[in-house]
C-alpha cells in the first residue's frame, strides 16, 4: 500500500511538473509577444508624433497660402477700384474744362 501511495504521489508530481513546464513555456512565448507588441507600439508612437508634426506644418502652410491669396485678391480689388476712381476723376476733370463734345443729331434723308 505504501508503494501505491508513493507511485500516486510521483504521478501527481509529474503532472504538476508538466503543467508547470507548459505554463513556463507559455509565459516565455507571451513575453516574446509582449516584447514585439512593445516595439510595435513604440514605432506607432514615433509615427504618430511625426504625423502630428507634419499635420501642423501642413496646416500652417495652408494658412499662409490662404492669407497670401486674400492679400492678392485685396490688392487686385484695390487696384481695380483705383483705376475706376481715376477714370471717373479724369472724365470729371475733362468735363469741367469744357472738353465736352456736343452730339449733333444726324438727319437721315427721307424723314
Amino acid at each position: 500500500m505504501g508503494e501505491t501511495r508513493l507511485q500516486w504521489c510521483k504521478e501527481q508530481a509529474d503532472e504538476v511538473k508538466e503543467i508547470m513546464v507548459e505554463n513556463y513555456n507559455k509565459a516565455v512565448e507571451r513575453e516574446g509577444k509582449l516584447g514585439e507588441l512593445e516595439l510595435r507600439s513604440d514605432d506607432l508612437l514615433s509615427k504618430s508624433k511625426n504625423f502630428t508634426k507634419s499635420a501642423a506644418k501642413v496646416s500652417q502652410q495652408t494658412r499662409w497660402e490662404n492669407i497670401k491669396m486674400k492679400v492678392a485678391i485685396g490688392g487686385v480689388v484695390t487696384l481695380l477700384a483705383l483705376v475706376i476712381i481715376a477714370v471717373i476723376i479724369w472724365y470729371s476733370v475733362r468735363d469741367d474744362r469744357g472738353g465736352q463734345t456736343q452730339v449733333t443729331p444726324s438727319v437721315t434723308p427721307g424723314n
Side-chain angles (χ1 to χ4, degrees):
M1 177 157 195
E3 226 176 273
T4 310
R5 184 139 168 94
L6 181 62
Q7 186 64 28
W8 181 80
C9 286
K10 282 184 180 181
E11 289 174 4
Q12 290 295 316
D14 286 341
E15 284 182 33
V16 170
K17 180 182 172 186
E18 286 179 27
I19 291 172
M20 288 179 66
V21 168
E22 190 177 315
N23 287 342
Y24 176 77
N25 289 337
K26 286 181 181 179
V28 169
E29 186 179 323
R30 251 188 242 123
E31 184 179 334
K33 288 181 181 179
L34 287 174
E36 183 182 323
L37 185 60
E38 184 179 2
L39 290 175
R40 288 173 55 193
S41 68
D42 288 343
D43 185 47
L44 187 59
L45 178 64
S46 173
K47 286 180 180 180
S48 70
K49 286 181 181 180
N50 287 339
F51 176 78
T52 302
K53 287 179 185 178
S54 297
K57 193 181 287 186
V58 167
S59 176
Q60 185 179 16
Q61 190 176 21
T62 304
R63 193 177 318 121
W64 277 111
E65 287 176 6
N66 286 342
I67 289 171
K68 287 178 188 177
M69 184 61 72
K70 287 178 183 178
V71 167
I73 290 172
V76 167
V77 168
T78 302
L79 183 63
L80 186 60
L82 288 175
V83 167
I84 291 172
I85 291 171
V87 167
I88 290 172
I89 290 174
W90 185 73
Y91 275 116
S92 170
V93 169
R94 186 173 154 225
D95 288 345
D96 288 346
R97 291 188 187 165
Q100 291 179 344
T101 56
Q102 289 184 343
V103 179
T104 56
S106 62
V107 178
T108 57
N111 283 342

